[in-house]
Amino acid sequence: MKIQPVKGTRDFYPQDMAVRNWLIDGWKRVSVRNGFEEYDGPIFEYLKMFQIKSGDEIAEQLFSFEDRGGRELALRPEITPTLARMVNQQINSLPRPIKWFSVPRLFRAEKPQKGRLREFFQWNIDIIGIDDVLADAETIFCALDYLKEAGLTPDDIVVKISSRKVLAELLKSIGIKENQLDALYVVLDKRSKLPDEAFEEMLAERLPDENKRGKILELMAVESIKQINDCLELSKEAEESIKELSRLFELLDAMGVGDYCVFDIGIVRGLAYYTGIVYEIYDKASELRAIGGGGRYDNLLKLFGGPDIPATGFGIGDCVLGILLEEKGLLSKEISTGRPEYFVAFTDQRYIQKAVEVTSKLRLAKFAANFSYKPVGLSKQLKQASEQKVKKCIIIGSEIENNQLVIKDMATGKQELVKIEQFLTQIES
Amino acid sequence: MKIQPVKGTRDFYPQDMAVRNWLIDGWKRVSVRNGFEEYDGPIFEYLKMFQIKSGDEIAEQLFSFEDRGGRELALRPEITPTLARMVNQQINSLPRPIKWFSVPRLFRAEKPQKGRLREFFQWNIDIIGIDDVLADAETIFCALDYLKEAGLTPDDIVVKISSRKVLAELLKSIGIKENQLDALYVVLDKRSKLPDEAFEEMLAERLPDENKRGKILELMAVESIKQINDCLELSKEAEESIKELSRLFELLDAMGVGDYCVFDIGIVRGLAYYTGIVYEIYDKASELRAIGGGGRYDNLLKLFGGPDIPATGFGIGDCVLGILLEEKGLLSKEISTGRPEYFVAFTDQRYIQKAVEVTSKLRLAKFAANFSYKPVGLSKQLKQASEQKVKKCIIIGSEIENNQLVIKDMATGKQELVKIEQFLTQIES
């Protein structure tokens, strides 16, 4: 019976797995050097948990199911609700700030498209317990530390940054009411994703007042923080929030990643729960979806029944990032599925058990070692060894009757006859 | 709103995650040095795929669901069906032998118990394309290479080995028909899991002939391969299969892991699809469930619509293994959640931005580095640095006005005043 894989999922053959490991190991390594500790939660949780932060609409994007006890469960579409649940559970014993990262496998029941699959990995970084914009800067730095190490330059990618606080103050200053803001964010978030006409139509639906709409369009055309001052008269709160945003850019400059970062008032993020700095990372050519995004969400823990503690963080998926790295030629060079240090060859089938014995001794001494299952001639085995790019080849031949074996250095071609005892003592030490 | 995790799942807080990583990284490292390449498949597949190898009963142990297109899907309870599907898909281009490993996250809708959860990890090793018992020996060696490295000795664990081929021949020689074998395996597999009386009752249900039952009980009491000869007159086929089993033990001795291995005719494995060597790994005290098990299943690829190619492999879960390592005190010593190399302290809040700048430079140069978010005094920062077990502490103080900083070696306590330029050049090279 032949069966297909499910659409939107991936098979990771060894070469694909090597790429996935290379990506994820990079995320882990950079997270750790930035002072983050790894955590993870279950693949499935109660369905209702995923609706707290993202509303009921998220249910349409979920793979959900009932267990035998009739509980409504769902495969996680994101890790943030789990993070909130876990932190709240141990809020009194966790030292702060909580600097955690995770590389969860996530699931969304969406139509598979380029850069969007039903099953993917996402790098998540969060700092909980710091309301200083320095924490936002550190998360952005951490993302860029990885992307830079992967070989992406400011010619390849850009972090577009804005502030929900700034936007809220500016919108209020042109007469938008506090309780209209969340609905408006959803529309403004669509601006760069829609043709101008469609966007303006959508905006008009939400906001009938033409005068206010004009001011919003003017505001959304602002290209620098400085320009905001020319465009509007600022309240004290607006000035404060602009100062904070400016400090973020200063910090990113001091951190040495300022050249990747620009202010973009069009970055809004659709979700209601962002409260401060927001950002998205794009390929410079804007040909792909966002590589990742994040921001400050000071109400998160409270939303999940916990205390009022500030938080900021981001998520970067593996699909768009993988496509970009591939396009830029940054994937293939470094990645291999593993290279053994030793290949143990035999000159005659009689010696295969001895070859297996030596291979096993090498492995127990923590060396990667291979032998050939096929009893082919020595020259073919040496060819295999050379294809596998091993450093040294051990040859078991008639010398074994005198307890000796041959060690061939594959780089220099030099061969050496060594007592087996001596060789084994050497590798074990 | 407060939400609980689902029963039978686990939250991995940083300390738990460090243990999980330590386990899984060990599996990966040992697999690679034994010449295996890593692969993985999707978390969910078509439900029917999981019924091919394990029958309809498996459906009761599955988390299954329908997607929006009405497809019946299930969370994978094991990776072997995915392996068979993937290998069959590329059977003509994959070089043989195929030596693959995987560390999938798996799901079973069972009642959670000690050592058995609804969500767990399992190390899988498979060799496809070799029908020599040497391949079975290599998989068993690989398991033991890991378990030995983890610190488990022959006093802690035992690999109990038998052969389906031997058992089949012996059962046939006492009059059991070929088509009765599969049903009988299921019963015999239960012997060590049931009280004698319950087992004999179950056997009687399956096999009404008292004479045959007596012979089976006699057979199952055999304690060594040699003893089989005394117990029964052997057919030529039985002799051949016993010779193969004996060679396996010879190979395991040559490999240096023979002291972990015993013959145990009671190892049957319930599933119909095993065809040769079968084995299970237990704690020596027999207080826990099996740590893992495996064997030869030469019909696997064919069962999944592929060609007739021999295969052998095992699975080891993380739950029982974790409990055993914990009990033996082999877990806690080596595991940390990461240790930074540098801690960047500041003597006055004015210098925090400079401290952040130096921390960022260190991280970009691939060093793990931390700083304190809390503007506490220097002595408290040095205490933090010491708690984090860093090697060096950088102190940013008034010397920074002369472009200098202090480097404190935390082991010796020695302090050194260094030009900042010089320090940065040094770390970047």
Side-chain angles (χ1 to χ4, degrees), chain A residues 154-189:
Chain A
D155 289 336
D156 301 317
I157 52 164
V158 58
V159 187
K160 298 179 179 177
I161 304 171
S162 187
S163 158
R164 271 280 177 94
K165 250 191 252 169
V166 169
L167 189 60
E169 291 306 329
L170 296 180
L171 290 172
K172 282 193 276 183
S173 77
I174 60 177
I176 307 293
K177 295 212 176 64
E178 183 86 39
N179 63 10
Q180 294 180 296
L181 287 174
D182 283 355
L184 203 50
Y185 292 149
V186 176
V187 178
L188 296 181
D189 182 54

Side-chain angles (χ1 to χ4, degrees), chain B residues 48-60:
Chain B
K48 63 184 173 189
M49 192 181 86
F50 297 116
Q51 294 169 321
I52 294 176
K53 166 179 163 253
S54 309
D56 290 345
E57 318 91 77
I58 191 89
E60 284 166 38

Side-chain angles (χ1 to χ4, degrees), chain B residues 19-34 101 103 123 142-143 145-147 149-150 321:
Chain B
V19 171
R20 171 176 140 188
N21 281 335
W22 177 82
L23 263 180
I24 290 181
D25 290 349
W27 289 346
K28 290 190 175 199
R29 191 176 56 245
V30 171
S31 302
V32 168
R33 80 172 175 236
N34 278 269
F101 81 97
V103 289
W123 179 28
C142 185
D145 190 7
Y146 171 79
L147 295 167
E149 184 182 296
L321 178 61

Side-chain angles (χ1 to χ4, degrees), chain A residues 106-356:
Chain A
L106 304 176
F107 306 86
R108 295 201 185 157
E110 293 176 303
K111 201 174 140 75
Q113 296 167 49
K114 186 180 181 188
R116 183 183 281 180
L117 294 172
R118 288 184 171 165
E119 183 184 38
F120 58 99
F121 292 87
Q122 191 183 64
W123 180 28
N124 281 259
I125 283 281
D126 289 276
I127 300 180
I128 296 172
I130 304 289
D131 69 1
D132 190 335
V133 77
L134 175 55
D136 304 275
E138 195 183 21
T139 56
I140 296 173
F141 170 83
C142 185
L144 286 168
D145 190 8
Y146 171 78
L147 296 167
K148 200 174 172 177
E149 184 182 297
L152 294 165
T153 70
D155 289 336
D156 301 317
I157 52 164
V158 58
V159 187
K160 298 179 179 177
I161 304 171
S162 187
S163 158
R164 271 280 177 94
K165 250 191 252 169
V166 169
L167 189 60
E169 291 306 329
L170 296 180
L171 290 172
K172 282 193 276 183
S173 77
I174 60 177
I176 307 293
K177 295 212 176 64
E178 183 86 39
N179 63 10
Q180 294 180 296
L181 287 174
D182 283 355
L184 203 50
Y185 292 149
V186 176
V187 178
L188 296 181
D189 182 54
K190 296 272 183 292
R191 198 181 62 122
S192 65
K193 293 151 198 156
L194 292 176
D196 282 356
E197 213 167 309
F199 169 70
E200 281 166 36
E201 212 169 282
M202 203 176 172
L203 185 61
E205 247 172 71
R206 180 65 58 191
L207 200 69
D209 183 329
E210 208 186 320
N211 179 33
K212 281 181 189 163
R213 284 212 307 278
K215 282 186 181 161
I216 285 183
L217 291 176
E218 207 179 312
L219 180 63
M220 297 306 279
V222 153
E223 287 184 338
S224 70
I225 298 177
K226 214 173 130 264
Q227 220 185 314
I228 298 175
N229 294 290
D230 311 336
C231 166
L232 283 162
E233 213 170 290
L234 298 178
S235 67
K236 209 183 151 216
E237 288 77 15
E239 269 180 11
E240 280 298 309
S241 62
I242 288 177
K243 213 184 272 176
E244 188 190 66
L245 186 57
S246 301
R247 179 150 174 263
L248 175 72
F249 281 97
E250 268 170 48
L251 283 166
L252 291 167
D253 277 335
M255 288 170 156
V257 293
D259 47 351
Y260 285 89
C261 304
V262 300
F263 168 68
D264 187 333
I265 200 164
I267 299 302
V268 180
R269 314 277 292 154
L271 286 174
Y273 91 129
Y274 286 101
T275 57
I277 299 296
V278 282
Y279 51 92
E280 288 173 359
I281 310 172
Y282 286 93
D283 65 303
K284 200 79 182 241
S286 282
E287 279 164 2
L288 304 169
R289 290 165 195 284
I291 297 165
R296 179 164 286 280
Y297 35 85
D298 285 342
N299 301 326
L300 181 72
L301 295 192
K302 214 170 155 187
L303 204 57
F304 283 81
D308 196 357
I309 295 174
T312 185
F314 71 74
I316 289 182
D318 69 325
C319 298
V320 175
L321 178 61
I323 293 169
L324 181 65
L325 290 172
E326 177 83 57
E327 282 180 6
K328 299 282 174 187
L330 295 168
L331 266 187
S332 46
K333 279 176 291 181
E334 316 186 30
I335 301 160
S336 104
T337 59
R339 173 190 302 189
E341 285 146 292
Y342 287 95
F343 189 98
V344 184
F346 44 88
T347 60
D348 188 289
Q349 234 188 301
R350 281 174 290 157
Y351 303 131
I352 190 162
Q353 182 154 329
K354 200 73 197 173
V356 168

Side-chain angles (χ1 to χ4, degrees), chain A residues 13 86 119 138 337 373, chain B residues 13 37 43 86 119 138 373:
Chain A
Y13 285 88
M86 286 175 62
E119 183 184 38
E138 195 183 21
T337 59
Y373 266 99
Chain B
Y13 285 88
E37 291 183 301
I43 289 276
M86 286 175 62
E119 182 183 38
E138 195 184 20
Y373 266 99

Side-chain angles (χ1 to χ4, degrees), chain A residues 6-20:
Chain A
V6 179
K7 220 178 135 186
T9 67
R10 283 176 287 181
D11 288 338
F12 293 90
Y13 285 88
Q15 194 54 50
D16 314 311
M17 192 69 202
V19 170
R20 171 176 140 188

